[in-house]
Every structure is written in structure tokens, then in C-alpha cells.
């Protein structure tokens, strides 16, 4: 936790009971994403990139290789890389799920969809309005904002399960009847109709996740520049810093280890 | 008394010698993948068990299953099996016709109540009160329901009976419906294919007649002994698939060299059937061997998945013909343009507020 230790711990403005200095900006730092969450994020991002490239090439193979069949194994390697990345993706997901149980409450956010929480929906629409340039300022969040949480829940929490289930069902066709993949996931094939349908849905799943990634990376870069809190560095160091004295909207259930403030 | 006749007696009556009979038993064992030690067991069963009658009905179909069946590779197997079943009822193969034929049907159903096997070729159309398929003046649906009621088990021959096939293609005006959706209270063995391979058909029926039980089925109700692997798993062009050597278009260099047909739409990787091992016409060849991709004729819905010559299916829900990649790239371009516009507006706003948010 180097960033925290480096920062000079000074009381926040509220604690000192003073108003924010007119020209200054306050910096508050809260440790949000623990190591397993960050490691998983980048491993997972890499796995998805590899899976998408190899998956696309499985459906649309490269031009034919010259020479004897015995001297080439291009499609074999592409499929091998897909399956290797698939195992990393699947095991990583299980690990992330475990961390949601034992980690801090930010680690649980990815798997939560607070459907009955009217307040949450209200903030989600507020965030959406901000993206539509209808709000002057977004709220500050220590964790994910509701709109981000919503899309992460559907594209990554649900989307990963979908890709793992359909992926291992396809894998079971090669592994053969009676393999563990077949016993665990073989039922998926008749559920979708037949093998071709599972291929189609698995393929559409890739595009759904890729759409999320496009929007996600854009939003991360944009927020990093435009918003009043740190974004990209947070997924690297784990620490969220705020450039504003306003209290984050989700701070009520927050117990920061340390709050630091520094004149901007 | 027919009830007491054994398979062996029937065969002898049909002029089959004991020598041929024994040969048939060992062939059967081999075809079903059973060891030679099981041959005496088959012989014993055939000599002592009373013959199980088979009633073969025809619904909406093209008779390709019957055509395939009577071309079974080994003439002995064909003769034996045919003599065992054509004795009873098959309106295409039997000698009698009309009311006489229908009378035989009733007679067998009566005499062997709960003991006969029903083999169905084709399927019942349910719309217009079943009027799209009339047998002996009545809808086929009625005949199917009537005969199925007292059957021991049902064999769904071909993709029609198993899944619906081309007569069930969108928008399926007659509502042609696979057998298992109409008859829900009997064990059903699906033997899909358009048509199924002759040796697969005789293999399944011989197994059921000799062992008096249905073969082990997979999740979709197909006999595991013939449908547990994909064409792709045993395809002789598979090394070219793994090497990344594909026929890019018919009659190119790759086609002449016998490369993999994946890029010209081969459905072998998604089709469960025995073509790449048993092959067709007495083991002569099969579609892929003659240079054409598999069209997936033994898979549910193969008739509605788009081109035979493209690997990716059409996704019909989108109204126009489009596959996953076309839908995905269109959406990605759409989202990309929105993002570009959004980024531009964001930059403008930021400039307006002089960098303050
Ligand atoms: C395949 C690519 C990617 C996927 C699937 C992905 C997925 C995710 C997920 C699921 C989270 C939530 C983490 C959690 O709660 O456990 C997240 C957060 C985050 N990601 Fe990514 N990500 C990808 C690429 C990137 C890239 C390239 C960047 C950097 C530009 C990035 C920046 C971030 C940031 C900054 C957060 C934290 C957001 C916040 O603070 O609320 N991601 N990402
Ligand atoms: C984000 C995750 C994933 C993405 C984006 C992805 C993408 C793809 C794509 C686009 C295809 C081609 C589908 C087609 O034929 O049209 C494919 C095939 C396949 N994927 Fe994935 N996949 C993912 C995860 C997985 C997982 C977890 C597994 C599990 C082992 C898996 C196993 C397979 C298999 C077995 C095939 C078929 C290979 C073949 O036909 O030779 N995938 N994948
Ligand atoms: S020709 Fe078809 S079944 Fe044979 S290896 Fe190629 S894709 Fe597979
Ligand atoms: S190769 Fe494919 S399309 Fe041809 S008969 Fe076999 S399963 Fe049917």
C-alpha cells in the first residue's frame, strides 16, 4: 500500500471544521480494490482479449497454410491457446467469486444487482443523465457508480458464466462422452437445440462482452480525465483519490482506513 | 401359431440356412461392437425368443429412410431383418394394400398388444386437423396415436420423425411435428439422418430384436453406439483442419489436395453421426470424401440454419440474413460512433468550463 504510506496524513477539511480553501483542491484517498481484485482485473482483461482473438479465428480461420499437413498445426495452436486462456478465464472467475465472499464490500459489487433498491435506480438514472450531458456534475463514488455496476453485473458477472457454460459445453464435444466437461456441461447442447446453436450463442456472447469492453475502456479513460476522482490508477494501485471535498455518494457505508488531504 | 414362433423359425421358414443364420449372428455382434463371446448369446436368444413384430408407419416423409434401409451393406442382414419385419406391416414394402393392409395392422396390434415395436418414418402434421397427411382416409396423427398406444417402444426413423426435417422448416405451414412431441408416454429411440445410414438402421433394429431391450441412448434419445461422436472427430480430413489447410472455394488448389471443408461450410464439427466411420453405400464413400461439406442432416433444425456453404448460422430473429459476426461488427461500429460523438461533446464541454469538469 505504498501510495497511502507516501501520502502525508492530514485531517480532512470537515474534521478541521473549516471550509475548503477557495483556490485549493482537497485530496482524500481511500483503499478500494484489494490485490486479488486488481490482479484478477488485468489477468481477466488479458484472457478476454486472447479468447476473443482466437475465438474469432476459430470461426473465421486464417488463409490456408502451405506445405504438408504434418508440418503445420496452426488451427491446432489457435484452438489450444483458446482453451488455455479459457481455463485461466474460468479459474480466475471462480477465484474472483471466492474473493467476493471474503474480500471487502467493493469486491462484492460486481456480483450485485440491487433490483429492489429504488435509491440505487435513482442514482443510476442520474449517472446516465450525466453521460447524456443533462447533469452538470456526477456524484462521487468510492466504489463503482451504479451505471458501471449495472453493466459490469450483466456483461461480466452474468456474461462470464454464460461464456464458461457454453464454452465448456463445446469443449465437452471434443473431450467426449463421459468426460467431466460432458457430465457437468453436456446438457447445455440440447438446451440450445444443437451444437451449431451453442456455437452461435457463444459467438454472440463474445460480441456482447466486447461491446462492454469498448464502452468500459472509453468510460474509464474519460472519467479519469473529466471526473473529480481517480479512475485508472485506482485499478492499478487500489487507491481512490478525490480531487473534491464533496462527500462520495456511497461513503455512508465506508470506513476508510485513513483519510488524507493535501492542498492541490 | 405366430405367437410361439421364434426368430430362428421365422428365418428358416424364409429359406435362410442354419449356416447363414450363424453367420448373421456373428455379423450382428461385430456390427454392434460386441465381442465374439456374445455370439452364442445372440444365437440362443434368436432360437428361443418369440419373434417381436415390427409395425412400420409412414407419415409426412419422402421414403428416403426406407430407400436407405433396403440398401443395407450386407445382403444377409438386409434379408434377415426385412423378412422379420415385412411380415407385419409396412405399407410401402408389404404386398397387400388398402383395406387388407389396414386389417393386418389391427390384427397385429390385437394379437401382440404391448409387445410390438412401432417404427415411424416421417411425422404427423398437426394443423388443419392433420389433413395434410391422410392414411386410409384418416389423418396420420390418428393412426400414429392408435398404434403407439400399445407399442412396447417406438423407433423414430430419420430426421423427420426425430426432429421435423424440411417439412417442418419455417414457417412450417402444416405444423409437421416430431414423434416425441406427440407421443410422450413411450420409450422413443431417435435414429436421425436424412436418411439415416442403412447399417445404423439395421444395427439398431437388430439390437432391439435380439436383446429385447432398447440400446443405450444419449441425452437427445439417440443410440450411443452410432451417435456418440461427431463427423469431425473421425473425419479423414481432420489433419488438414488442425494444420489450418482449407478449401477456400470449390475447385481451388486446396479442393484438389483434399483439404478440410470447414471454410466452405462443413457442418462436421457440429454433427453427430457415423458417416465418417461407417460411410455410405456399402462403405464406398460419404459426402466429405466426395469433396462436399457435411450439411448436418442428422442434427435438429439443420434445415433452418442458413447456407450449407457457411460455417456460421444465420440468426433468423434479426429478420434479415445475418450471422453473429455481422451483428457484432454492426453493433461495435454503432457503439464506436456513439463513443466518438460522445468524446467530441465531452471535449467541447470541458473547453467551455475551462477544464473544470
Ligand atoms: C477485456 C478488457 C476488460 C474487462 C473485461 C474489464 C472488466 C472490468 C471489471 C469486471 C471491473 C470491475 C472490477 C471488480 O469490481 O472486480 C473493471 C473495473 C475497472 N476497469 Fe476494467 N476491464 C477491462 C479492461 C480495462 C482497461 C483496458 C482499463 C484501462 C483503461 C480498465 C480500467 C478499469 C478501471 C479503472 C476499473 C475500476 C472502475 C472503477 O473504479 O469503478 N479496464 N473492469
Ligand atoms: C470471454 C470468453 C470467451 C470468448 C470471447 C470466446 C469466443 C469464442 C468464439 C468467437 C468462438 C467461435 C464460435 C463459432 O464457431 O462461431 C469460440 C469457440 C469455442 N470456445 Fe470460446 N470463448 C470464450 C470462452 C470460452 C471458454 C471459457 C471455453 C471453455 C473451454 C471456450 C471454449 C470454446 C470451444 C470449445 C470452442 C469451439 C472450438 C471449435 O469449434 O473448434 N470458450 N469461442
Ligand atoms: S472436412 Fe468437415 S468434418 Fe472433416 S475435418 Fe474439415 S470441418 Fe471437420
Ligand atoms: S455427412 Fe453430414 S450431411 Fe452427409 S449424410 Fe452424414 S450427417 Fe448427413
Amino acid at each position: 500500500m505504498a501510495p497511502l504510506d507516501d501520502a502525508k496524513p492530514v485531517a480532512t477539511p470537515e474534521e478541521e471544521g473549516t471550509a475548503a480553501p477557495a483556490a485549493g483542491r482537497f485530496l482524500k484517498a481511500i483503499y478500494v480494490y484489494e490485490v486479488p481484485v486488481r490482479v484478477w482485473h488485468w489477468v481477466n482483461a488479458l484472457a478476454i482479449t486472447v479468447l476473443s482473438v482466437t475465438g474469432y479465428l476459430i470461426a473465421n480461420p486464417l488463409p490456408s497454410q502451405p506445405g504438408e499437413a504434418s508440418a503445420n498445426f496452426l488451427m491446432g495452436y489457435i484452438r489450444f491457446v483458446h482453451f488455455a486462456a479459457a481455463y485461466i478465464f474460468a479459474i480466475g472467475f471462480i477465484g474472483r467469486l471466492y474473493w467476493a465472499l471474503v474480500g471487502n464490500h467493493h469486491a462484492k459489487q460486481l456480483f450485485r444487482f440491487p433490483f429492489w433498491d429504488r435509491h440505487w435506480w435513482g442514482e443510476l438514472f442520474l449517472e446516465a443523465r450525466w453521460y447524456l450531458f443533462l447533469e452538470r456534475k456526477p456524484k462521487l463514488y468510492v466504489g463503482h457508480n451504479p451505471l458501471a455496476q449495472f453493466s459490469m453485473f450483466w456483461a461480466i458477472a452474468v456474461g462470464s458464466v454464460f461464456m464458461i457454460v457454453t464454452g465448456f459445453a463445446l469443449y465437452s464435444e471434443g473431450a467426449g462422452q463421459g468426460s467431466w466437461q460432458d457430465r457437468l456441461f453436456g446438457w447445455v447442447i440440447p438446451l440450445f437445440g444443437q451444437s451449431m446453436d451453442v456455437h452461435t450463442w457463444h459467438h454472440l456472447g463474445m460480441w456482447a462482452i466486447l461491446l462492454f469492453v469498448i464502452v468500459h475502456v472509453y468510460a474509464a479513460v474519460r472519467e479519469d480525465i473529466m471526473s473529480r476522482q481517480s479512475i485508472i490508477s485506482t485499478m492499478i494501485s487500489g487507491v481512490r483519490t478525490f480531487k473534491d471535498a464533496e462527500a462520495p455518494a456511497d461513503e455512508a457505508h465506508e470506513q476508510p482506513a485513513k483519510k488524507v488531504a493535501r492542498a492541490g | 401359431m405366430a405367437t410361439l414362433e421364434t426368430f430362428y423359425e421365422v428365418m428358416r421358414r424364409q429359406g435362410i440356412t442354419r449356416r447363414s443364420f450363424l453367420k448373421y449372428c456373428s455379423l450382428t455382434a461385430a456390427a454392434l461392437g460386441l465381442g465374439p463371446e456374445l455370439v452364442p448369446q445372440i444365437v440362443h436368444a434368436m432360437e428361443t425368443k418369440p419373434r417381436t413384430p415390427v409395425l412400420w408407419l409412414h407419415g409426412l416423409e419422402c421414403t428416403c429412410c426406407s430407400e436407405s434401409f433396403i440398401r443395407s451393406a450386407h445382403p444377409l442382414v438386409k434379408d434377415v431383418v426385412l423378412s422379420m419385419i415385412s411380415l407385419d406391416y409396412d405399407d410401402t414394402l408389404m404386398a397387400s394394400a388398402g383395406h387388407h393392409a389396414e386389417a393386418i395392422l389391427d390384427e397385429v396390434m390385437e394379437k401382440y398388444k404391448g409387445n410390438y415395436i412401432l417404427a415411424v418414418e416421417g411425422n404427423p402434421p398437426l394443423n388443419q386437423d392433420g389433413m395434410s397427411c391422410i392414411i386410409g382416409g384418416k389423418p396420420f396423427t390418428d393412426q400414429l396415436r392408435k398404434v403407439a398406444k400399445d407399442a412396447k417402444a417406438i423407433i423414430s426413423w430419420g430426421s423427420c420423425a426425430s426432429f421435423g426435417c424440411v417439412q417442418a422448416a419455417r414457417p412450417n405451414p402444416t405444423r409437421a411435428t416430431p414423434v416425441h412431441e406427440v407421443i410422450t408416454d413411450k420409450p422413443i429411440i431417435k435414429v436421425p439422418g436424412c436418411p439415416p445410414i442403412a447399417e445404423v438402421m439395421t444395427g439398431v433394429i437388430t439390437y432391439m430384436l435380439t436383446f429385447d431391450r432398447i440400446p443405450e441412448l444419449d441425452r437427445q434419445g439417440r443410440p450411443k453406439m452410432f451417435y456418440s461422436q461427431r463427423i469431425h472427430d473421425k473425419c479423414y480430413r481432420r489433419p488438414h483442419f488442425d494444420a489450418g489447410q482449407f478449401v477456400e472455394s470449390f475447385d481451388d488448389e486446396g479442393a484438389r489436395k483434399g483439404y478440410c471443408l470447414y471454410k466452405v461450410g462443413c457442418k462436421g464439427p457440429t454433427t453427430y453421426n457415423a458417416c465418417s466411420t461407417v460411410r455410405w453405400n456399402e462403405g464406398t464413400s460419404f459426402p466429405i470424401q466426395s469433396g462436399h461439406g457435411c450439411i448436418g442432416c442428422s442434427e435438429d433444425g439443420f434445415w433452418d440454419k442458413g447456407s450449407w456453404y457457411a460455417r456460421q448460422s444465420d440468426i433468423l430473429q434479426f429478420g434479415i440474413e445475418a450471422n453473429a459476426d455481422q451483428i457484432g461488427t454492426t453493433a461495435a461500429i454503432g457503439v464506436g460512433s456513439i463513443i466518438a460523438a460522445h468524446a467530441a461533446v465531452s471535449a467541447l464541454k470541458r473547453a467551455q468550463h475551462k477544464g473544470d469538469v
Side-chain angles (χ1 to χ4, degrees), chain A residues 58 60-62 64-65 67 69 73 75-76 131 133 173 182 194-197 200 203 207 218 222 225, chain B residues 219 241-246 248 262-263 267 270 272 299-300 305 312-313 325 328 339 342-343 345-346 350:
Chain A
I58 289 170
N60 308 280
L62 293 166
S64 285
Q65 297 300 298
F73 198 61
M75 195 69 174
Y131 272 102
F133 307 108
E173 302 198 290
D182 174 55
Q194 53 132 308
S195 177
M196 277 275 270
D197 301 301
T200 304
H203 203 131
W207 283 108
Y218 169 66
R222 178 180 182 274
I225 299 168
Chain B
R219 288 188 189 85
F241 173 86
D242 289 330
Q245 298 178 320
F246 303 100
E248 308 279 345
Y262 189 80
K263 280 193 181 175
K267 305 295 185 296
T270 46
Y272 289 80
E299 287 293 321
D300 194 358
K305 301 278 178 236
Q312 292 189 47
S313 329
D325 276 340
I339 284 178
H342 197 269
V345 177
S346 304
R350 195 172 155 79

Side-chain angles (χ1 to χ4, degrees), chain A:
Chain A
M1 281 192 286
L4 270 187
D5 298 334
D6 288 349
K8 253 187 288 166
V10 185
T12 59
E14 309 96 80
E15 279 161 352
E16 285 191 337
T18 56
R25 287 193 163 186
F26 287 93
L27 191 114
K28 184 161 50 179
I30 300 175
Y31 187 54
V32 184
Y33 300 121
E34 296 154 296
V35 176
V37 173
R38 283 177 277 145
V39 170
W40 171 78
H41 176 268
W42 296 112
V43 169
N44 190 53
L46 189 70
I48 287 179
T49 310
V50 170
L51 282 164
S52 302
V53 171
T54 52
Y56 183 84
L57 291 178
I58 289 170
N60 308 280
L62 293 166
S64 285
Q65 297 300 298
E68 286 297 320
S70 54
N72 289 286
F73 198 61
L74 184 63
M75 195 69 174
Y77 287 129
I78 290 173
R79 292 173 72 246
F80 174 78
V81 171
H82 192 80
F83 305 150
Y87 272 100
I88 292 173
F89 176 76
I91 293 166
F93 187 77
I94 293 169
R96 181 65 184 79
L97 208 58
Y98 168 75
W99 197 256
L101 298 176
V102 300
N104 67 17
H105 76 259
H106 296 293
K108 296 176 175 43
Q109 235 188 330
L110 175 59
F111 301 100
R112 279 228 177 99
F113 179 50
F115 184 76
W116 301 112
D117 186 344
R118 289 167 130 246
H119 182 69
W120 182 83
W121 282 106
E123 290 196 16
L124 186 148
F125 285 116
L126 202 76
E127 188 75 19
R129 281 174 60 81
W130 181 66
Y131 272 102
L132 293 172
F133 307 108
L134 298 172
E135 289 294 327
R136 178 77 175 81
K137 270 183 176 185
K139 285 188 186 264
L140 290 177
Y141 290 94
V142 177
H144 302 306
N145 75 58
L147 194 60
Q149 185 186 356
F150 177 86
S151 49
M152 281 166 188
F153 175 82
W154 287 107
I156 303 299
V158 176
S160 298
V161 173
F162 182 82
M163 293 311 280
I164 290 168
V165 169
T166 52
F168 276 100
L170 292 176
Y171 194 81
S172 79
E173 302 198 290
Q177 284 189 355
S179 60
W180 69 262
Q181 291 91 345
D182 174 55
R183 271 179 277 130
L184 278 178
F185 299 103
W187 54 272
V188 173
I189 300 215
L191 184 75
F192 279 87
Q194 53 132 308
S195 177
M196 277 275 270
D197 301 301
V198 184
H199 274 265
T200 304
W201 281 102
H202 189 72
H203 203 131
L204 281 173
M206 171 182 84
W207 283 108
I209 288 181
L210 287 186
L211 290 184
F212 164 82
V213 171
I214 296 170
V215 174
H216 170 71
V217 174
Y218 169 66
V221 172
R222 178 180 182 274
E223 284 276 291
D224 204 64
I225 299 168
M226 310 244 319
S227 79
R228 296 167 293 159
Q229 65 220 325
S230 70
I231 296 286
I232 298 178
S233 62
T234 309
M235 218 4 118
I236 297 168
S237 68
V239 178
R240 177 95 68 220
T241 53
F242 294 91
K243 309 168 196 165
D244 200 312
E246 192 184 305
D250 59 345
E251 205 184 27
H253 26 241
E254 202 62 45
Q255 275 132 26
K258 283 177 194 169
K259 284 185 183 175
V260 289
R262 193 178 64 201

Side-chain angles (χ1 to χ4, degrees), chain B residues 230-242 246 259-263 265-269 276 286 288 292-294 311:
Chain B
R230 300 167 298 173
I231 307 292
H232 190 58
D233 293 318
K234 287 276 161 43
C235 176
Y236 77 104
R237 297 192 186 214
R238 180 64 188 265
H240 291 299
F241 173 86
D242 289 330
F246 303 100
Y259 283 178
C260 166
L261 296 155
Y262 189 80
K263 280 193 181 175
C266 179
K267 305 295 185 296
S276 48
F286 74 117
I288 290 167
H292 191 286
C294 164
R311 250 313 296 175

